[in-house]
Amino acid sequence: MQISNEAPAKLTTDHTNPPERPDFISVKDFNFFYGKKQALHTINMDIPERQVTAFIGPSGCGKSTLLRNFNRMNELIDGIHHTGDIRILGKSIYDKGVEVISLRRSIGMVFQKSNPFPKSIYENVVFALRISGISKKSDLDECVERSLRGAALWNEVKDRLHESALGLSGGQMQRLCIARAIANRPKVLLMDEPCSALDPIATVKVEELIRELKRQFTIVIVTHNMQQATRCSDKTAFFYLGKLVEYADTPKIFSNPSEKQTEDYITGRFG
Amino acid sequence: MDSIASHSLDFFDGDRSVSSKTVARSVTNRILSGICITLSLLTLVPLASIIILLLQKGLPLLGTAIFTELPPAAGMSGGGFGNAILGTLVMIAIGLAISAPAGILSAIFINEYAPTSRLAQAVRLVAKLLTGIPSIICGVFAFAAVVMTTGTFSAYAGGLALAVLMLPTILLTAEQALMGVQSAYREAALGLGATRFQTIARVVLPDAFPAIMTGVMLAVARAAGETAPLIFTALFSQFWAKSLNEPTASLSVLIYNFSTVPFPHQIGMAWTASLVLVAFVTIANIAAQTIFSRKN
Amino acid sequence: MSAPEKDIISPAGYRPAPDLFRILCQTASLLTVLMLGWIIYEILESAWPSIQKFGFDFMTTSAWVPNRERFGVLPFIIGTVASSLLAILLAFPLGVAIAIFLSENFLSASIRQTMRFVVEMLAAIPSVVYGLWGIFVIIPIVKAFGDWAVGSMGDFPLFSGPAYGNSLLTASVVLAIMILPTITAISRNALASVPKTLREGAYALGSTRWEAIFSVILPTAAPGIVAATILGLGRAMGETMAVAMLIGNSSRLSWSILSPSGTLAGLLANQFGEAQGLQVNSLMYAALILIGITLIVNLLGEAVLRHTQKQTAGIR
């Protein structure tokens, strides 16, 4: 178990901005296999702190697979294995001493399809706190308000916190899932096509929220929507057939890509 | 504001990431998995016990005589239960002769002709209710309808009881089978100018046939094992049946009768009959699944 | 229709014959519906003399003395309910554990497949074979347990002695095994219909497997599991042969689960063959009560199941 020598980012809501690390998440020679099928080929990339990094590419290109490795969600599938390493803040997530449950608790994740639990709005938000044994009402109340405000949902639901989350609209459900993901103050927020099931208006709200959230969180977002990547990301990585083809600042990728494949994809010639 | 963060030790807290609480949670998790696996594997015990006993006690008497000879009288040895095997088959045949056409034709009506009609809804409800009726009620009904009317226990009565038992299984699986036929096939046939009957006979039924047969086989497997509907409709007989209108032996009733007698030979025969019955039911079930999986 | 010049659209060219097959299918449907009516009618008609003679008292008295023409089925109603509830009590934890086992990946897929096959095998074994097996295997075990229980907990009414081999407990143990497949299959469906996204959501928030199961998966599947239990109860109440062979078929009321008891289905199985006169009518009456009880339980289970399906449809 090692702690990075550099000063770890102390993340609280006090907005003192410590120096940002360019390699907050660092992927090193990472290969990933579903059984015999190789899904990712020698990925190397550094994801910067408190920025939005977008993963784009056609379906099956491996972008979601990589995202789901950051919090080891892929381990729910049988027969997977990997080589190489992923480090967050310099610390390997595959280190023997790492309990996968504490890793996941430190990394928020938002899914393609909103997945509120069939419980009240309140219970959804405090889920992560409850499973880690926190039950003091004042802590929970504080967390609910902070998280829902953080997800720009507080004003819409503050009067019905104890009603079922299933009564919310699609966009509200997705923002509730964001609130739930940030409730435990993670440092990283993973978003797997968070807007693909939302209507345009709800999408705009979530995108605004993403831009807001990057002040506190390192965000990685998988998206099919290239406009979305240009609107809310700082850096963009283009994946194709399990390889990282190009990774650069978003404006560069979309205005002046260095790779032919990237250009073909963003101009809509395939994918 | 930081009170929560300090509660939740996480990945970024370095050495503290394996907090005692996290360890406790992981240990609890393992223990629960262990309990769940143990409870599940416990189920193997009764099945293994049944199979071992069936083989151990049923195999010694298993021979050709079992299939060709008549049951021995009380206290006697030798003999077989050919009449009971025949009786079981005959009564299943009678049951099928009633329930298969009724079930399949009803399924065609409620799926192909008038799915939303009041009659179709009634048929679905009745099928559901019949599924939930205890099997012995089928026997009570056949007793009232046939035995009390004709004044004698008979294969007819047993067959009718089994028919009631089989009807809902056949009907509901046939309905599922027909629902599984793509509507594009029907539309294609109708679009070519086929009549409803031609569409059903030449397109829908051939496609659904394996799945319908699965339902029929499942019903046969279930009926073969049932005793309750037969004990006071077909009753039992020590002899080969000369007609369908007299008491008729069946495997399951033989097991019931012989299981409670004090003679070791008869009890051994009950085990052998159980072995034959379980083998028959298992084969019918496997046949049903094979037919089904071949279709998919 | 062979002549191409014929105008096939005009009524003269195309006159559909009455669809005889449709009429045939419709008749079959009608017969199916009438079947249930016929069943109820036959049983009701045969039960009528007894209904007239005993009325409601039939269900509240506990005498069953055929040669004095005194009939009351209270002990059998109680036995039916008690044996089934006890069976559920035993089968529920096992059934849910197996359902979880089958829907989680504790062990390899091939082991889970084997487990599924085992449970399906349990469903395929005939009731009468369970009875025979129970006589040889369960009765001695329960008798030994009973003797011990009477010795150590005999003051407790449920375990008061003497302990018999043919007892309520014996029947319930075998019933529990018999309804296990029903409970497992329906619970497994309920667990399988919990959307994968919910499970992922719980894991992504740092749940352990069992935290996810207890806090999200089981609560979401709960109505389906309740339905499974109720339908299992319905099956247990109608189960006849194994119970008739193991429960002792006594009409004496007792608090002890170690003493013989009787069920409605067992009563019918035992007495119909040799019944005469009013006894037949009374057995028919008992059959009606059995239909009533199982119908209520099954309809309740179906209602819960349908409600569940609607609810989970909302989550998806």
Side-chain angles (χ1 to χ4, degrees):
Chain A
M1 191 87 44
Q2 81 258 26
I3 317 176
S4 132
N5 289 331
E6 284 120 306
K10 184 167 170 286
L11 195 88
T12 54
T13 45
D14 58 15
H15 298 295
T16 56
N17 281 333
E20 277 159 20
R21 283 181 67 136
D23 60 341
F24 193 88
I25 303 174
S26 169
V27 184
K28 295 230 157 60
D29 295 326
F30 192 74
N31 289 291
F32 186 81
F33 304 83
Y34 292 111
K36 288 206 173 67
K37 188 178 164 285
Q38 185 161 7
L40 292 173
H41 298 263
T42 329
I43 308 289
N44 278 291
M45 71 189 302
D46 286 336
I47 291 169
E49 181 172 10
R50 289 192 208 173
Q51 302 223 319
V52 178
T53 303
F55 288 3
I56 61 169
S59 300
C61 68
K63 54 191 192 304
S64 282
T65 304
L66 182 59
L67 188 83
R68 282 164 168 263
N69 267 305
F70 291 161
N71 64 348
R72 292 171 59 178
M73 281 298 279
N74 279 330
E75 288 175 17
L76 300 181
I77 305 163
D78 289 332
I80 52 119
H81 70 107
H82 72 98
T83 63
D85 199 6
I86 295 172
R87 292 166 174 268
I88 299 182
L89 269 174
K91 180 175 162 186
S92 169
I93 63 167
Y94 293 107
D95 196 287
K96 272 212 163 60
V98 171
E99 282 283 352
V100 68
I101 53 174
S102 51
L103 172 71
R104 290 193 189 134
R105 215 177 42 217
S106 320
I107 297 179
M109 185 163 196
V110 178
F111 295 84
Q112 181 170 1
K113 202 172 164 320
S114 65
N115 54 353
F117 302 136
K119 298 168 183 283
S120 68
I121 294 169
Y122 187 98
E123 284 303 323
N124 263 283
V125 177
V126 301
F127 184 89
L129 277 68
R130 284 224 193 267
I131 58 173
S132 31
I134 297 168
S135 52
K136 210 167 114 197
K137 185 151 188 322
S138 59
D139 287 351
L140 299 179
D141 287 347
E142 184 277 329
C143 165
V144 167
E145 179 164 355
R146 170 177 55 76
S147 309
L148 287 173
R149 279 190 193 283
L153 191 59
W154 174 252
N155 288 329
E156 292 163 57
V157 300
K158 64 180 179 217
D159 300 324
R160 47 171 174 150
L161 292 175
H162 296 282
E163 286 174 28
S164 168
L166 302 180
L168 298 173
S169 72
Q172 288 174 326
M173 280 194 200
Q174 192 59 304
R175 277 180 285 144
L176 174 65
C177 291
I178 294 175
R180 190 174 68 184
I182 63 176
N184 209 36
R185 297 170 186 272
K187 293 195 171 57
V188 182
L189 201 51
L190 307 175
M191 303 184 129
D192 192 353
E193 299 187 32
C195 301
S196 66
L198 300 182
D199 61 60
I201 294 170
T203 301
V204 168
K205 279 195 176 165
V206 172
E207 287 178 3
E208 277 170 7
L209 181 58
I210 292 171
R211 284 193 292 271
E212 183 61 30
L213 288 169
K214 81 171 181 186
R215 295 185 8 210
Q216 296 180 63
F217 305 99
T218 301
I219 297 176
V220 186
I221 177 171
V222 164
T223 179
H224 258 115
N225 180 336
M226 280 177 273
Q227 281 76 37
Q228 184 166 65
T230 55
R231 281 194 300 262
C232 37
S233 74
D234 302 296
K235 298 193 81 168
T236 297
F238 170 63
F239 290 83
Y240 184 58
L241 296 175
K243 297 194 173 84
L244 176 58
V245 175
E246 187 167 358
Y247 177 41
D249 289 340
T250 300
K252 175 167 186 311
I253 289 264
F254 285 97
S255 56
N256 183 22
S258 3
E259 299 288 329
K260 180 83 172 55
Q261 279 176 331
T262 315
E263 187 174 351
D264 286 350
Y265 182 68
I266 60 173
T267 52
R269 255 168 257 166
F270 73 91
Chain B
M1 281 290 259
D2 254 344
S3 59
I4 300 171
S6 64
H7 273 289
S8 55
L9 301 175
D10 62 26
F11 175 74
F12 300 104
D13 295 323
D15 279 343
R16 294 190 297 152
S17 90
V18 184
S19 68
S20 59
K21 203 179 251 169
T22 308
V23 171
R25 286 170 60 198
S26 296
V27 170
T28 314
N29 191 47
R30 296 232 172 86
I31 293 174
L32 287 170
S33 297
I35 293 175
C36 182
I37 292 171
T38 314
L39 283 180
S40 303
L41 295 183
L42 215 62
T43 326
L44 291 170
V45 176
L47 184 68
S49 164
I50 291 172
I51 291 174
I52 290 170
L53 275 182
L54 278 177
L55 295 175
Q56 198 182 35
K57 297 186 178 242
L59 276 181
L61 287 179
L62 194 64
T64 46
I66 284 295
F67 299 94
T68 54
E69 291 182 19
L70 289 173
M76 305 296 277
S77 62
F81 40 76
N83 62 338
I85 296 175
L86 185 69
T88 294
L89 294 177
V90 165
M91 285 188 283
I92 290 177
I94 296 175
L96 266 187
I98 301 169
S99 61
I104 296 171
L105 291 176
S106 300
I108 292 173
F109 181 76
I110 65 174
N111 198 61
E112 301 296 320
Y113 279 113
T116 53
S117 65
R118 217 178 275 168
L119 179 56
Q121 282 163 2
V123 169
R124 286 192 196 100
L125 179 70
V126 164
K128 271 266 176 229
L129 293 178
L130 283 178
T131 330
I133 277 188
S135 64
I136 193 159
I137 296 300
C138 304
V140 174
F141 159 66
F143 182 86
V146 180
V147 177
M148 282 168 75
T149 316
T150 61
T152 172
F153 301 102
S154 64
Y156 289 130
L160 178 66
L162 292 184
V164 178
L165 188 85
M166 291 193 268
L167 179 64
T169 309
I170 294 179
L171 200 163
L172 291 172
T173 44
E175 192 201 2
Q176 287 292 327
L178 294 170
M179 281 201 286
V181 178
Q182 290 182 28
S183 52
Y185 290 174
R186 291 187 190 93
E187 284 159 15
L190 292 170
L192 290 169
T195 63
R196 267 275 159 202
F197 173 66
Q198 286 165 331
T199 308
I200 293 168
R202 293 176 185 227
V203 177
V204 177
L205 277 185
D207 196 53
F209 184 75
I212 294 176
M213 281 313 291
T214 300
V216 172
M217 286 311 286
L218 287 176
V220 167
R222 180 150 181 239
E226 279 293 352
T227 320
L230 299 180
I231 38 176
F232 47 81
T233 51
L235 208 69
F236 191 71
S237 157
Q238 298 283 341
F239 311 104
W240 295 100
K242 284 181 211 67
S243 81
L244 295 177
N245 201 23
E246 61 180 44
T248 306
S250 62
L251 271 179
S252 51
V253 175
L254 176 121
I255 299 168
Y256 176 60
N257 287 348
F258 279 13
S259 68
T260 46
V261 296
F263 312 111
H265 180 71
Q266 265 77 353
I267 289 174
M269 204 156 258
W271 280 104
T272 308
S274 297
L275 182 64
V276 172
L277 189 59
V278 169
F280 180 81
V281 172
T282 309
I283 290 169
N285 274 320
I286 290 175
Q289 274 166 17
T290 318
I291 299 169
F292 190 71
S293 57
R294 200 184 303 157
K295 195 220 162 182
N296 296 342
Chain C
M1 306 283 274
S2 53
E5 65 272 15
K6 215 171 187 177
D7 179 4
I8 59 165
I9 299 173
S10 79
Y14 179 71
R15 184 174 297 144
D19 191 341
L20 291 176
F21 189 62
R22 182 196 166 107
I23 295 168
L24 185 65
C25 291
Q26 198 160 8
T27 313
S29 299
L30 216 61
L31 287 177
T32 302
V33 175
L34 289 179
M35 181 70 110
L36 185 68
W38 190 22
I39 293 171
I40 307 250
Y41 168 78
E42 282 288 353
I43 299 179
L44 194 64
E45 194 210 12
S46 314
W48 195 246
S50 179
I51 295 174
Q52 275 189 316
K53 179 146 189 219
F54 301 111
F56 252 121
D57 292 345
F58 190 71
M59 284 177 260
T60 55
T61 55
S62 54
W64 188 271
V65 194
N67 47 14
R68 290 203 196 142
E69 300 214 323
R70 283 174 49 203
F71 299 103
V73 289
L74 182 66
F76 300 102
I77 294 177
I78 292 175
T80 302
V81 174
S83 61
S84 308
L85 285 179
L86 188 54
I88 283 285
L89 210 64
L90 297 169
F92 178 79
L94 275 176
V96 175
I98 300 169
I100 293 174
F101 179 92
L102 291 176
S103 58
E104 292 282 328
N105 56 345
F106 297 115
L107 300 174
S108 70
S110 58
I111 296 181
R112 273 178 281 157
Q113 198 55 42
T114 315
M115 201 63 214
R116 253 183 97 164
F117 178 73
V118 166
V119 176
E120 278 169 19
M121 270 300 284
L122 283 180
I125 291 173
S127 180
V128 69
V129 176
Y130 274 111
L132 184 63
W133 174 74
I135 291 173
F136 283 86
V137 176
I138 299 298
I139 283 184
I141 296 175
V142 169
K143 176 81 170 75
F145 167 81
D147 288 337
W148 171 81
V150 169
S152 53
M153 300 180 282
D155 296 335
F156 193 52
L158 286 181
F159 296 107
S160 58
Y164 291 84
N166 288 80
S167 65
L168 186 74
L169 182 60
T170 309
S172 297
V173 169
V174 176
L175 270 182
I177 299 169
M178 296 176 72
I179 60 174
L180 203 53
T182 309
I183 296 186
T184 304
I186 303 174
S187 300
R188 203 182 127 262
N189 282 344
L191 289 173
S193 67
V194 174
K196 204 178 117 221
T197 53
L198 285 191
R199 180 184 298 250
E200 286 186 331
Y203 279 121
L205 291 169
S207 299
T208 63
R209 182 201 292 276
W210 285 91
E211 283 161 359
I213 291 173
F214 280 124
S215 60
V216 175
I217 298 171
L218 279 182
T220 310
I225 295 174
V226 171
T229 311
I230 298 174
L231 292 173
L233 189 68
R235 269 220 59 191
M237 287 175 156
E239 231 355 287
T240 308
M241 295 321 295
V243 176
M245 291 160 84
L246 298 170
I247 203 166
N249 302 304
S250 156
S251 62
R252 287 221 357 236
L253 279 170
S254 163
W255 276 105
S256 174
I257 60 169
L258 302 171
S259 52
S261 178
T263 67
L264 289 168
L267 175 75
L268 301 178
N270 275 314
Q271 303 210 346
F272 244 118
E274 291 128 28
Q276 307 246 322
L278 191 61
Q279 189 183 0
V280 171
N281 308 127
S282 299
L283 288 170
M284 292 287 179
Y285 193 178
L288 269 185
I289 294 169
L290 179 60
I291 296 178
I293 295 176
T294 50
L295 215 58
I296 290 168
V297 172
N298 284 325
L299 286 178
L300 189 67
E302 285 291 336
V304 174
L305 202 59
R306 209 166 316 144
H307 172 76
T308 317
Q309 281 158 355
K310 255 186 225 152
Q311 211 179 32
T312 45
I315 300 173
R316 272 145 201 280

